Amino acid sequence: MSLRIVVCVKYVPDATGDRHFADDLTLDRDDVDGLLSELDEYAVEQALQIADEADDAEITVLTVGPEDAKDALRKALSMGADKAVHVEDDDLHGTDVIGTSLVLAKAIEKTGYDLVICGMASTDGVMGVLPALLSERLGVPQVTLLSEVSVEDGTVKGRRDGDSASEQLEASLPAVVSVTDQSGEARYPSFKGIMAAKKKPVESLDLEDLEIEADEVGLEGSWTAVDSATERPARTAGTIVKDEGEGGRQLAEFLAGQKFI
Amino acid sequence: MAEVLVYVDHVDGAVRKPTLELLTLARRIGEPVAVALGNGAADTAAALAEHGAVKVLTADAPEFADYLVVPKVDALQAAFDAVSPAAVLLPSSAEAKEIGARLALRIGSGIITDAVDLEAGDQGPVATQSAFAASYTTKSRVSKGTPVITVKPNSVAVEAAPAAGAVEALDVSFSEKATGTKVLSRTPRESTGRPELTEAAIVVAGGRGVNGAENFAVIEALADSLGAAVGASRAAVDAGWYPHTSQVGQTGKSVSPQLYIASGISGAIQHRAGMQTSKTIVAINKDAEAPIFELVDYGVVGDLFAVVPQLTDEVKSRKG
């Protein structure tokens, strides 16, 4: 029986670009390039490895985002995913994490799944709660923040490295998994992969397809509100000294002045 | 006065500092009611009472240790139903964020994570957050339901405020889904004797310039002289010089200590994303053009192998 894997990915603004807020206090996407969130590449990689080990598996990569977000899907397809689902709707603009989890959960259910794989967090919002929300919505186990993951006989196993302990986890499929950047280097798309990706199917869905009302999502439908966003004033230039044999002692003097020693 | 639920992060009854910070913040918006779960839950009461908890709801059951996250969500939901609080506060640890998110969804409430400050507002608590690698400061609030907010460590100075701290047993019935993810085994991380990275008041971090695993001893010696945690840049971790659990940055941990000392770290945007909210930033780097110097309160252009040991000696002698 085929193992149906859905990988959730996000199209994020390039962190090395000039990221800022638009007038409605959502991300201004016009002035900065987007790309597949680096942390989601690890999720795609683990999906590919799990599919390799399975007798028969199909990987669907799923994203919610504007037209440009297709770039993130293409990247995942060129790495080796089989097909893609793109949820795009003007009413989604400004949706918060709770709303996003609703849209993803509905799309995952519509696609059909045995295993959902996510990155540990997005590289823009960095909340890290979406996999847990998907687990809650789908009513299936969460096996999250894994640095090692494997699937065998309808069971997912993995290692979760926390601050105080390392845990071995196990759950029956269907399940929601998230993986960390320690799970294994993500592969680069090959030329063949890039060419093949152009022919792979990308299904587009809107809110109506998912039976979601416009007021459940978007800025108005969000359960949180951003009231203000202020650009931080540039830090006042600090004192910089060149070490000429006394650099450590000078620094100690500064730290003592600040009462750190 | 409205009650505020505070989820307690503790290890066998020893309350971790971020929870005491939460109690301090919770008092700005109401009366803290603490929820402590798992082994040693009742032992947390004294520390929680000393920091303002009017009540401590406790529950212990094998489920909390044997299964991941969901049993704790069930328990926190039971506490929520019992108290009907004005807000729910949790520390911004990976696990507590997951617990908070699931609770928020269940109770039909929005969630804000990684707040760095919290104050009472006309429409409920207002959370300050830091966005886009700390280039923006935002003020946000939960607009639907009971605010669920997670707060980053070191966001506020802990204040003692003795309160009753009356212990009450919390009645929890676990949901069908509670046993979905089994914890087959748990290996406690070997203690380095140093503070936990995300909670430490001072962090000393090393990067590419440290140039080898064995050279991290220089960084550790400085950290130990200051009672600090040790951090590492991604370059140092990827090179295998220091464990990933110490990685500071966009794909590692986000830290916000009183003092951050970067040694041999150039300060790529991905690193800055994880440390830019530190209160005082110090850097030591050979390269005067390194971007980290744009952030510093004090920088030394020089060889870290000369500067750091001299600093360590000086700290030790001043501390006597």
Side-chain angles (χ1 to χ4, degrees):
Chain A
M1 202 177 81
S2 175
L3 179 70
R4 296 165 301 168
I5 305 173
V6 178
V7 186
C8 299
V9 301
K10 189 171 182 186
Y11 181 71
V12 298
D14 186 346
T16 59
D18 179 20
R19 295 180 293 179
H20 53 264
F21 286 93
D23 292 342
D24 65 355
L25 301 180
T26 64
L27 167 73
D28 187 339
R29 288 185 182 263
D30 292 339
D31 287 351
V32 60
D33 289 335
L35 42 77
L36 170 61
S37 174
E38 184 197 337
L39 289 167
D40 294 341
E41 291 185 18
Y42 297 95
V44 175
E45 177 62 36
Q46 289 309 309
L48 292 167
Q49 291 191 19
I50 289 166
D52 277 347
E53 292 295 315
D55 293 338
D56 178 21
E58 183 182 55
I59 301 171
T60 304
V61 52
L62 164 66
T63 199
V64 177
E67 171 68 22
D68 294 352
K70 282 201 172 66
D71 289 354
L73 296 175
R74 286 284 169 215
K75 172 87 186 275
L77 291 173
S78 64
M79 287 172 72
D82 299 301
K83 62 189 181 77
V85 174
H86 182 196
V87 184
E88 186 188 3
D89 197 306
D90 289 345
D91 287 329
L92 284 166
H93 176 77
T95 306
D96 69 355
V97 71
I98 296 269
T100 302
S101 72
L102 171 70
V103 178
L104 285 171
K106 294 259 194 182
I108 289 164
E109 279 170 338
K110 191 176 170 71
T111 302
Y113 71 104
D114 300 297
L115 182 64
V116 177
I117 308 185
C118 306
M120 60 185 280
S122 68
T123 54
D124 54 352
V126 217
M127 294 179 77
V129 300
L130 185 90
L133 288 171
L134 285 181
S135 160
E136 182 72 31
R137 286 206 186 265
L138 296 169
V140 301
Q142 72 166 74
V143 196
T144 47
L145 297 169
L146 303 181
S147 43
E148 263 177 29
V149 58
S150 63
V151 173
E152 209 174 329
D153 298 332
T155 301
V156 53
K157 290 188 185 191
R159 191 180 84 236
R160 174 174 165 119
D161 291 324
D163 288 336
S164 57
S166 178
E167 297 164 325
Q168 290 291 338
L169 305 176
E170 181 188 283
S172 297
L173 297 183
V176 174
V177 160
S178 76
V179 298
T180 73
D181 59 333
Q182 293 301 291
S183 55
E185 202 64 30
R187 69 193 65 184
Y188 287 103
S190 63
F191 177 71
K192 204 175 138 201
I194 293 168
M195 295 315 286
K198 295 184 193 226
K199 297 198 181 96
K200 290 177 178 173
V202 178
E203 183 185 3
S204 283
L205 299 174
D206 60 16
L207 290 175
E208 200 180 333
D209 296 323
L210 298 176
E211 295 175 7
I212 295 171
E213 300 295 326
D215 62 5
E216 293 180 83
V217 293
L219 266 183
E220 293 302 313
S222 285
W223 296 3
T224 46
V226 180
D227 287 333
S228 70
T230 321
E231 197 157 5
R232 278 210 177 190
R235 282 181 97 100
T236 15
T239 309
I240 295 179
V241 300
K242 191 167 185 320
D243 178 37
E244 281 162 351
E246 290 296 310
R249 273 186 279 276
Q250 286 168 289
L251 181 45
E253 194 58 41
F254 168 78
L255 294 179
Q258 304 285 314
K259 306 216 181 328
F260 288 114
I261 44 178
Chain B
M1 198 175 187
E3 291 172 307
V4 177
L5 273 193
V6 172
Y7 178 81
V8 176
D9 187 6
H10 70 99
V11 179
D12 297 333
V15 179
R16 300 176 82 160
K17 186 164 147 264
T19 301
L20 305 180
E21 296 169 8
L22 283 185
L23 289 170
T24 302
L25 288 173
R27 293 203 309 275
R28 294 183 186 171
I29 50 179
E31 285 192 324
V33 174
V35 182
L37 308 173
N39 184 41
D43 300 338
T44 60
L48 299 171
E50 197 184 318
H51 292 90
V54 295
K55 210 189 289 181
V56 181
L57 304 175
T58 66
D60 192 11
E63 280 85 350
F64 294 126
D66 296 348
Y67 300 94
L68 194 72
V69 173
V70 183
K72 292 173 179 167
V73 182
D74 290 343
L76 194 57
Q77 189 178 14
F80 177 85
D81 291 342
V83 172
S84 301
V88 182
L89 305 185
L90 305 95
S92 274
S93 68
E95 186 190 40
K97 282 204 276 190
E98 293 184 332
I99 294 168
R102 296 186 75 128
L103 176 78
L105 188 53
R106 284 188 189 183
I107 63 176
S109 297
I111 178 167
I112 289 174
T113 60
D114 298 318
V116 295
D117 200 4
L118 201 60
E119 63 209 334
D122 297 340
Q123 297 166 283
V126 177
T128 305
Q129 289 166 291
S130 169
F132 302 151
S135 54
Y136 277 85
T137 300
T138 62
K139 302 259 189 196
S140 303
R141 70 201 148 73
V142 170
S143 51
K144 181 169 181 290
T146 303
V148 177
I149 300 171
T150 81
V151 181
K152 276 177 84 164
N154 291 313
S155 294
V156 68
V158 172
E159 291 163 16
V167 178
E168 275 181 31
L170 177 67
D171 194 17
V172 185
S173 51
F174 293 108
S175 64
E176 199 186 315
K177 302 291 179 196
T179 54
T181 308
K182 278 186 218 147
V183 180
L184 300 177
S185 68
R186 180 176 288 116
T187 315
R189 193 167 296 292
E190 253 178 70
S191 172
T192 58
R194 299 191 182 96
E196 214 282 304
L197 181 60
T198 54
E199 298 172 13
I202 303 178
V203 172
V204 179
R208 201 187 294 276
V210 175
N211 201 23
E214 65 288 355
N215 297 338
F216 256 85
V218 173
I219 304 296
E220 291 179 329
L222 174 59
D224 291 343
S225 75
L226 290 162
V230 176
S233 72
R234 180 165 186 174
V237 170
D238 282 352
W241 302 339
Y242 223 67
H244 176 252
T245 45
S246 301
Q247 184 181 316
V248 173
Q250 192 169 33
T251 60
K253 295 208 167 113
S254 162
V255 300
S256 193
Q258 298 297 320
L259 171 63
Y260 188 84
I261 303 180
S263 302
I265 293 176
S266 65
I269 185 80
Q270 288 82 358
H271 186 76
R272 291 158 63 157
M275 48 66 73
Q276 207 159 345
T277 52
S278 305
K279 313 291 181 294
T280 299
I281 297 173
V282 166
I284 301 147
N285 202 305
K286 272 197 293 204
D287 177 10
E289 303 298 315
I292 192 87
F293 285 124
E294 293 163 17
L295 303 183
V296 298
D297 297 286
Y298 198 93
V300 180
V301 179
D303 182 356
L304 76 91
F305 295 106
V307 176
V308 173
Q310 189 181 65
L311 172 60
T312 307
D313 288 344
E314 193 66 22
V315 172
K316 281 190 197 157
S317 74
R318 282 175 189 248
K319 284 193 167 175

